[in-house]
PDB file of all heavy atoms in Angstrom:
ATOM      1  N   GLU E   1       4.581   6.932   9.920  1.00 94.00           N
ATOM      2  CA  GLU E   1       3.612   6.725   8.787  1.00 94.00           C
ATOM      3  C   GLU E   1       4.361   6.858   7.518  1.00 94.00           C
ATOM      4  O   GLU E   1       5.171   7.781   7.269  1.00 94.00           O
ATOM      5  CB  GLU E   1       2.555   7.778   8.839  1.00 94.00           C
ATOM      6  CG  GLU E   1       1.466   7.615   7.740  1.00 94.00           C
ATOM      7  CD  GLU E   1       0.408   8.682   7.701  1.00 94.00           C
ATOM      8  OE1 GLU E   1       0.160   9.175   8.885  1.00 94.00           O
ATOM      9  OE2 GLU E   1      -0.199   8.926   6.675  1.00 94.00           O
ATOM     10  N   ILE E   2       4.203   5.836   6.668  1.00 96.00           N
ATOM     11  CA  ILE E   2       4.883   5.754   5.351  1.00 96.00           C
ATOM     12  C   ILE E   2       3.853   5.972   4.172  1.00 96.00           C
ATOM     13  O   ILE E   2       2.814   5.427   4.150  1.00 96.00           O
ATOM     14  CB  ILE E   2       5.598   4.387   5.179  1.00 96.00           C
ATOM     15  CG1 ILE E   2       6.569   4.174   6.326  1.00 96.00           C
ATOM     16  CG2 ILE E   2       6.188   4.309   3.832  1.00 96.00           C
ATOM     17  CD1 ILE E   2       7.075   2.797   6.415  1.00 96.00           C
ATOM     18  N   ILE E   3       4.266   6.899   3.377  1.00 97.00           N
ATOM     19  CA  ILE E   3       3.460   7.280   2.177  1.00 97.00           C
ATOM     20  C   ILE E   3       4.219   6.775   0.992  1.00 97.00           C
ATOM     21  O   ILE E   3       5.303   7.297   0.607  1.00 97.00           O
ATOM     22  CB  ILE E   3       3.247   8.750   2.128  1.00 97.00           C
ATOM     23  CG1 ILE E   3       2.621   9.299   3.395  1.00 97.00           C
ATOM     24  CG2 ILE E   3       2.303   9.140   0.943  1.00 97.00           C
ATOM     25  CD1 ILE E   3       2.765  10.811   3.577  1.00 97.00           C
ATOM     26  N   LEU E   4       3.655   5.798   0.352  1.00 97.00           N
ATOM     27  CA  LEU E   4       4.302   5.240  -0.915  1.00 97.00           C
ATOM     28  C   LEU E   4       3.883   6.037  -2.131  1.00 97.00           C
ATOM     29  O   LEU E   4       2.684   6.174  -2.426  1.00 97.00           O
ATOM     30  CB  LEU E   4       3.957   3.715  -1.089  1.00 97.00           C
ATOM     31  CG  LEU E   4       4.548   2.791  -0.017  1.00 97.00           C
ATOM     32  CD1 LEU E   4       3.801   1.499  -0.107  1.00 97.00           C
ATOM     33  CD2 LEU E   4       6.072   2.728  -0.236  1.00 97.00           C
ATOM     34  N   VAL E   5       4.810   6.609  -2.820  1.00 97.00           N
ATOM     35  CA  VAL E   5       4.526   7.530  -3.891  1.00 97.00           C
ATOM     36  C   VAL E   5       4.851   6.847  -5.300  1.00 97.00           C
ATOM     37  O   VAL E   5       5.969   6.390  -5.440  1.00 97.00           O
ATOM     38  CB  VAL E   5       5.251   8.854  -3.853  1.00 97.00           C
ATOM     39  CG1 VAL E   5       4.920   9.786  -4.949  1.00 97.00           C
ATOM     40  CG2 VAL E   5       5.056   9.461  -2.521  1.00 97.00           C
ATOM     41  N   GLY E   6       3.859   6.767  -6.145  1.00 96.00           N
ATOM     42  CA  GLY E   6       4.077   6.177  -7.474  1.00 96.00           C
ATOM     43  C   GLY E   6       2.885   5.615  -8.093  1.00 96.00           C
ATOM     44  O   GLY E   6       1.720   6.112  -7.750  1.00 96.00           O
ATOM     45  N   ASP E   7       2.969   4.670  -9.015  1.00 96.00           N
ATOM     46  CA  ASP E   7       1.862   4.135  -9.678  1.00 96.00           C
ATOM     47  C   ASP E   7       1.011   3.360  -8.710  1.00 96.00           C
ATOM     48  O   ASP E   7       1.282   2.317  -8.137  1.00 96.00           O
ATOM     49  CB  ASP E   7       2.370   3.119 -10.772  1.00 96.00           C
ATOM     50  CG  ASP E   7       1.243   2.617 -11.601  1.00 96.00           C
ATOM     51  OD1 ASP E   7       0.190   2.189 -11.097  1.00 96.00           O
ATOM     52  OD2 ASP E   7       1.481   2.555 -12.863  1.00 96.00           O
ATOM     53  N   GLU E   8      -0.258   3.975  -8.463  1.00 96.00           N
ATOM     54  CA  GLU E   8      -1.141   3.499  -7.388  1.00 96.00           C
ATOM     55  C   GLU E   8      -1.547   1.973  -7.594  1.00 96.00           C
ATOM     56  O   GLU E   8      -1.586   1.259  -6.658  1.00 96.00           O
ATOM     57  CB  GLU E   8      -2.354   4.379  -7.302  1.00 96.00           C
ATOM     58  CG  GLU E   8      -3.292   4.016  -6.177  1.00 96.00           C
ATOM     59  CD  GLU E   8      -4.404   4.990  -6.010  1.00 96.00           C
ATOM     60  OE1 GLU E   8      -4.552   5.790  -6.872  1.00 96.00           O
ATOM     61  OE2 GLU E   8      -5.092   4.950  -4.979  1.00 96.00           O
ATOM     62  N   ASN E   9      -1.856   1.693  -8.900  1.00 95.00           N
ATOM     63  CA  ASN E   9      -2.258   0.294  -9.177  1.00 95.00           C
ATOM     64  C   ASN E   9      -1.246  -0.704  -8.886  1.00 95.00           C
ATOM     65  O   ASN E   9      -1.525  -1.781  -8.221  1.00 95.00           O
ATOM     66  CB  ASN E   9      -2.701   0.213 -10.647  1.00 95.00           C
ATOM     67  CG  ASN E   9      -3.994   0.975 -10.945  1.00 95.00           C
ATOM     68  OD1 ASN E   9      -4.879   1.106 -10.037  1.00 95.00           O
ATOM     69  ND2 ASN E   9      -4.225   1.377 -12.174  1.00 95.00           N
ATOM     70  N   LYS E  10       0.012  -0.461  -9.344  1.00 96.00           N
ATOM     71  CA  LYS E  10       1.125  -1.359  -9.136  1.00 96.00           C
ATOM     72  C   LYS E  10       1.477  -1.496  -7.643  1.00 96.00           C
ATOM     73  O   LYS E  10       1.716  -2.607  -7.092  1.00 96.00           O
ATOM     74  CB  LYS E  10       2.372  -0.931  -9.878  1.00 96.00           C
ATOM     75  CG  LYS E  10       2.219  -1.097 -11.426  1.00 96.00           C
ATOM     76  CD  LYS E  10       3.505  -0.655 -12.080  1.00 96.00           C
ATOM     77  CE  LYS E  10       3.418  -0.783 -13.556  1.00 96.00           C
ATOM     78  NZ  LYS E  10       4.606  -0.380 -14.288  1.00 96.00           N
ATOM     79  N   ILE E  11       1.516  -0.361  -6.913  1.00 96.00           N
ATOM     80  CA  ILE E  11       1.777  -0.404  -5.495  1.00 96.00           C
ATOM     81  C   ILE E  11       0.692  -1.159  -4.707  1.00 96.00           C
ATOM     82  O   ILE E  11       1.018  -2.005  -3.870  1.00 96.00           O
ATOM     83  CB  ILE E  11       1.944   1.033  -4.939  1.00 96.00           C
ATOM     84  CG1 ILE E  11       3.105   1.811  -5.628  1.00 96.00           C
ATOM     85  CG2 ILE E  11       2.089   1.079  -3.455  1.00 96.00           C
ATOM     86  CD1 ILE E  11       3.184   3.214  -5.324  1.00 96.00           C
ATOM     87  N   THR E  12      -0.510  -0.854  -4.973  1.00 94.00           N
ATOM     88  CA  THR E  12      -1.648  -1.562  -4.292  1.00 94.00           C
ATOM     89  C   THR E  12      -1.690  -3.061  -4.543  1.00 94.00           C
ATOM     90  O   THR E  12      -2.021  -3.836  -3.610  1.00 94.00           O
ATOM     91  CB  THR E  12      -3.011  -0.933  -4.703  1.00 94.00           C
ATOM     92  OG1 THR E  12      -2.971   0.512  -4.483  1.00 94.00           O
ATOM     93  CG2 THR E  12      -4.179  -1.546  -3.933  1.00 94.00           C
ATOM     94  N   GLU E  13      -1.354  -3.427  -5.757  1.00 94.00           N
ATOM     95  CA  GLU E  13      -1.235  -4.875  -6.096  1.00 94.00           C
ATOM     96  C   GLU E  13      -0.306  -5.561  -5.129  1.00 94.00           C
ATOM     97  O   GLU E  13      -0.491  -6.722  -4.681  1.00 94.00           O
ATOM     98  CB  GLU E  13      -0.908  -5.083  -7.505  1.00 94.00           C
ATOM     99  CG  GLU E  13      -0.880  -6.546  -7.925  1.00 94.00           C
ATOM    100  CD  GLU E  13      -0.549  -6.692  -9.401  1.00 94.00           C
ATOM    101  OE1 GLU E  13      -0.389  -5.636 -10.152  1.00 94.00           O
ATOM    102  OE2 GLU E  13      -0.321  -7.851  -9.841  1.00 94.00           O
ATOM    103  N   ILE E  14       0.857  -4.935  -4.929  1.00 94.00           N
ATOM    104  CA  ILE E  14       1.883  -5.543  -4.113  1.00 94.00           C
ATOM    105  C   ILE E  14       1.432  -5.533  -2.602  1.00 94.00           C
ATOM    106  O   ILE E  14       1.592  -6.497  -1.915  1.00 94.00           O
ATOM    107  CB  ILE E  14       3.229  -4.825  -4.257  1.00 94.00           C
ATOM    108  CG1 ILE E  14       3.711  -4.841  -5.710  1.00 94.00           C
ATOM    109  CG2 ILE E  14       4.360  -5.397  -3.320  1.00 94.00           C
ATOM    110  CD1 ILE E  14       4.836  -3.918  -6.017  1.00 94.00           C
ATOM    111  N   LEU E  15       0.807  -4.424  -2.231  1.00 93.00           N
ATOM    112  CA  LEU E  15       0.318  -4.327  -0.858  1.00 93.00           C
ATOM    113  C   LEU E  15      -0.690  -5.388  -0.541  1.00 93.00           C
ATOM    114  O   LEU E  15      -0.696  -5.937   0.554  1.00 93.00           O
ATOM    115  CB  LEU E  15      -0.204  -2.886  -0.606  1.00 93.00           C
ATOM    116  CG  LEU E  15       0.725  -1.804  -0.485  1.00 93.00           C
ATOM    117  CD1 LEU E  15       0.045  -0.469  -0.390  1.00 93.00           C
ATOM    118  CD2 LEU E  15       1.704  -1.912   0.707  1.00 93.00           C
ATOM    119  N   ASN E  16      -1.573  -5.637  -1.502  1.00 92.00           N
ATOM    120  CA  ASN E  16      -2.732  -6.613  -1.297  1.00 92.00           C
ATOM    121  C   ASN E  16      -2.184  -8.029  -1.092  1.00 92.00           C
ATOM    122  O   ASN E  16      -2.914  -8.842  -0.575  1.00 92.00           O
ATOM    123  CB  ASN E  16      -3.692  -6.521  -2.449  1.00 92.00           C
ATOM    124  CG  ASN E  16      -4.513  -5.287  -2.363  1.00 92.00           C
ATOM    125  OD1 ASN E  16      -4.675  -4.678  -1.331  1.00 92.00           O
ATOM    126  ND2 ASN E  16      -5.008  -4.916  -3.513  1.00 92.00           N
ATOM    127  N   ALA E  17      -0.955  -8.265  -1.405  1.00 90.00           N
ATOM    128  CA  ALA E  17      -0.394  -9.592  -1.170  1.00 90.00           C
ATOM    129  C   ALA E  17      -0.092  -9.848   0.326  1.00 90.00           C
ATOM    130  O   ALA E  17       0.171 -10.933   0.839  1.00 90.00           O
ATOM    131  CB  ALA E  17       0.926  -9.850  -1.940  1.00 90.00           C
ATOM    132  N   GLU E  18      -0.088  -8.670   1.053  1.00 85.00           N
ATOM    133  CA  GLU E  18       0.124  -8.646   2.569  1.00 85.00           C
ATOM    134  C   GLU E  18      -1.234  -8.500   3.208  1.00 85.00           C
ATOM    135  O   GLU E  18      -1.854  -7.415   3.095  1.00 85.00           O
ATOM    136  CB  GLU E  18       1.001  -7.526   2.974  1.00 85.00           C
ATOM    137  CG  GLU E  18       1.324  -7.415   4.456  1.00 85.00           C
ATOM    138  CD  GLU E  18       2.397  -8.377   4.876  1.00 85.00           C
ATOM    139  OE1 GLU E  18       3.149  -8.946   4.007  1.00 85.00           O
ATOM    140  OE2 GLU E  18       2.580  -8.603   6.111  1.00 85.00           O
ATOM    141  N   GLU E  19      -1.752  -9.512   3.814  1.00 79.00           N
ATOM    142  CA  GLU E  19      -3.169  -9.593   4.307  1.00 79.00           C
ATOM    143  C   GLU E  19      -3.537  -8.454   5.197  1.00 79.00           C
ATOM    144  O   GLU E  19      -4.655  -7.890   5.011  1.00 79.00           O
ATOM    145  CB  GLU E  19      -3.460 -10.899   4.916  1.00 79.00           C
ATOM    146  CG  GLU E  19      -3.408 -12.142   4.014  1.00 79.00           C
ATOM    147  CD  GLU E  19      -3.833 -13.463   4.726  1.00 79.00           C
ATOM    148  OE1 GLU E  19      -4.051 -13.402   5.894  1.00 79.00           O
ATOM    149  OE2 GLU E  19      -3.713 -14.467   4.034  1.00 79.00           O
ATOM    150  N   ASP E  20      -2.630  -8.156   6.108  1.00 83.00           N
ATOM    151  CA  ASP E  20      -3.068  -7.115   7.125  1.00 83.00           C
ATOM    152  C   ASP E  20      -2.455  -5.749   6.897  1.00 83.00           C
ATOM    153  O   ASP E  20      -2.264  -4.940   7.764  1.00 83.00           O
ATOM    154  CB  ASP E  20      -2.635  -7.601   8.498  1.00 83.00           C
ATOM    155  CG  ASP E  20      -1.187  -7.804   8.663  1.00 83.00           C
ATOM    156  OD1 ASP E  20      -0.481  -7.841   7.558  1.00 83.00           O
ATOM    157  OD2 ASP E  20      -0.637  -7.846   9.766  1.00 83.00           O
ATOM    158  N   TRP E  21      -2.037  -5.401   5.600  1.00 87.00           N
ATOM    159  CA  TRP E  21      -1.371  -4.172   5.355  1.00 87.00           C
ATOM    160  C   TRP E  21      -2.211  -2.954   5.681  1.00 87.00           C
ATOM    161  O   TRP E  21      -1.680  -1.922   6.093  1.00 87.00           O
ATOM    162  CB  TRP E  21      -0.832  -4.060   3.913  1.00 87.00           C
ATOM    163  CG  TRP E  21      -1.837  -3.680   2.856  1.00 87.00           C
ATOM    164  CD1 TRP E  21      -2.609  -4.523   2.147  1.00 87.00           C
ATOM    165  CD2 TRP E  21      -2.236  -2.369   2.487  1.00 87.00           C
ATOM    166  NE1 TRP E  21      -3.419  -3.892   1.326  1.00 87.00           N
ATOM    167  CE2 TRP E  21      -3.185  -2.510   1.490  1.00 87.00           C
ATOM    168  CE3 TRP E  21      -1.770  -1.093   2.894  1.00 87.00           C
ATOM    169  CZ2 TRP E  21      -3.777  -1.389   0.893  1.00 87.00           C
ATOM    170  CZ3 TRP E  21      -2.364  -0.024   2.198  1.00 87.00           C
ATOM    171  CH2 TRP E  21      -3.348  -0.120   1.223  1.00 87.00           C
ATOM    172  N   LYS E  22      -3.553  -3.086   5.598  1.00 85.00           N
ATOM    173  CA  LYS E  22      -4.418  -1.922   5.890  1.00 85.00           C
ATOM    174  C   LYS E  22      -4.413  -1.542   7.413  1.00 85.00           C
ATOM    175  O   LYS E  22      -4.887  -0.504   7.749  1.00 85.00           O
ATOM    176  CB  LYS E  22      -5.791  -2.207   5.339  1.00 85.00           C
ATOM    177  CG  LYS E  22      -5.893  -2.298   3.875  1.00 85.00           C
ATOM    178  CD  LYS E  22      -7.298  -2.460   3.388  1.00 85.00           C
ATOM    179  CE  LYS E  22      -7.334  -2.516   1.861  1.00 85.00           C
ATOM    180  NZ  LYS E  22      -8.719  -2.731   1.324  1.00 85.00           N
ATOM    181  N   ASN E  23      -3.926  -2.438   8.178  1.00 87.00           N
ATOM    182  CA  ASN E  23      -3.746  -2.141   9.619  1.00 87.00           C
ATOM    183  C   ASN E  23      -2.424  -1.495   9.976  1.00 87.00           C
ATOM    184  O   ASN E  23      -2.198  -1.106  11.118  1.00 87.00           O
ATOM    185  CB  ASN E  23      -3.823  -3.538  10.433  1.00 87.00           C
ATOM    186  CG  ASN E  23      -5.222  -4.150  10.295  1.00 87.00           C
ATOM    187  OD1 ASN E  23      -6.227  -3.490  10.309  1.00 87.00           O
ATOM    188  ND2 ASN E  23      -5.252  -5.475  10.232  1.00 87.00           N
ATOM    189  N   LEU E  24      -1.573  -1.331   8.935  1.00 90.00           N
ATOM    190  CA  LEU E  24      -0.358  -0.704   9.144  1.00 90.00           C
ATOM    191  C   LEU E  24      -0.466   0.823   8.749  1.00 90.00           C
ATOM    192  O   LEU E  24      -1.420   1.198   8.048  1.00 90.00           O
ATOM    193  CB  LEU E  24       0.699  -1.374   8.262  1.00 90.00           C
ATOM    194  CG  LEU E  24       1.042  -2.792   8.556  1.00 90.00           C
ATOM    195  CD1 LEU E  24       1.948  -3.344   7.490  1.00 90.00           C
ATOM    196  CD2 LEU E  24       1.622  -2.975   9.930  1.00 90.00           C
ATOM    197  N   SER E  25       0.507   1.591   9.151  1.00 92.00           N
ATOM    198  CA  SER E  25       0.449   3.059   8.916  1.00 92.00           C
ATOM    199  C   SER E  25       1.109   3.253   7.485  1.00 92.00           C
ATOM    200  O   SER E  25       2.150   3.865   7.404  1.00 92.00           O
ATOM    201  CB  SER E  25       1.271   3.788   9.933  1.00 92.00           C
ATOM    202  OG  SER E  25       0.640   3.684  11.197  1.00 92.00           O
ATOM    203  N   ILE E  26       0.391   2.824   6.470  1.00 94.00           N
ATOM    204  CA  ILE E  26       0.879   2.935   5.147  1.00 94.00           C
ATOM    205  C   ILE E  26      -0.205   3.508   4.244  1.00 94.00           C
ATOM    206  O   ILE E  26      -1.412   3.003   4.303  1.00 94.00           O
ATOM    207  CB  ILE E  26       1.356   1.622   4.490  1.00 94.00           C
ATOM    208  CG1 ILE E  26       2.654   1.234   5.181  1.00 94.00           C
ATOM    209  CG2 ILE E  26       1.558   1.763   3.058  1.00 94.00           C
ATOM    210  CD1 ILE E  26       3.248  -0.096   4.616  1.00 94.00           C
ATOM    211  N   THR E  27       0.022   4.497   3.477  1.00 94.00           N
ATOM    212  CA  THR E  27      -0.960   5.114   2.518  1.00 94.00           C
ATOM    213  C   THR E  27      -0.205   5.202   1.108  1.00 94.00           C
ATOM    214  O   THR E  27       1.055   5.093   1.042  1.00 94.00           O
ATOM    215  CB  THR E  27      -1.404   6.464   2.893  1.00 94.00           C
ATOM    216  OG1 THR E  27      -0.358   7.361   3.157  1.00 94.00           O
ATOM    217  CG2 THR E  27      -2.280   6.335   4.173  1.00 94.00           C
ATOM    218  N   VAL E  28      -0.980   5.464   0.140  1.00 96.00           N
ATOM    219  CA  VAL E  28      -0.473   5.528  -1.278  1.00 96.00           C
ATOM    220  C   VAL E  28      -0.791   6.864  -1.849  1.00 96.00           C
ATOM    221  O   VAL E  28      -1.940   7.280  -1.760  1.00 96.00           O
ATOM    222  CB  VAL E  28      -0.913   4.347  -2.150  1.00 96.00           C
ATOM    223  CG1 VAL E  28      -0.401   4.524  -3.565  1.00 96.00           C
ATOM    224  CG2 VAL E  28      -0.608   3.003  -1.554  1.00 96.00           C
ATOM    225  N   LYS E  29       0.155   7.536  -2.502  1.00 97.00           N
ATOM    226  CA  LYS E  29      -0.111   8.763  -3.274  1.00 97.00           C
ATOM    227  C   LYS E  29       0.283   8.513  -4.738  1.00 97.00           C
ATOM    228  O   LYS E  29       1.412   8.204  -4.983  1.00 97.00           O
ATOM    229  CB  LYS E  29       0.648   9.923  -2.629  1.00 97.00           C
ATOM    230  CG  LYS E  29       0.305  11.313  -3.257  1.00 97.00           C
ATOM    231  CD  LYS E  29       1.064  12.490  -2.637  1.00 97.00           C
ATOM    232  CE  LYS E  29       0.602  13.777  -3.181  1.00 97.00           C
ATOM    233  NZ  LYS E  29      -0.796  14.138  -2.961  1.00 97.00           N
TER     234      LYS E  29
END
């Protein structure tokens, strides 16, 4: 499980370019 730490808005914007990222073991702090 990967926890991405940093600016939530910037990180989420990049993640959203990947359609199925919410099915991966990734969270944001």
Side-chain angles (χ1 to χ4, degrees):
E1 179 181 336
I2 299 170
I3 307 160
L4 292 166
V5 183
D7 187 313
E8 186 173 10
N9 291 332
K10 291 181 179 180
I11 295 171
T12 303
E13 182 180 354
I14 300 167
L15 288 172
N16 286 336
E18 181 83 12
E19 292 183 2
D20 62 343
W21 79 267
K22 292 184 179 179
N23 296 322
L24 300 172
S25 297
I26 290 182
T27 55
V28 180
K29 185 175 182 66

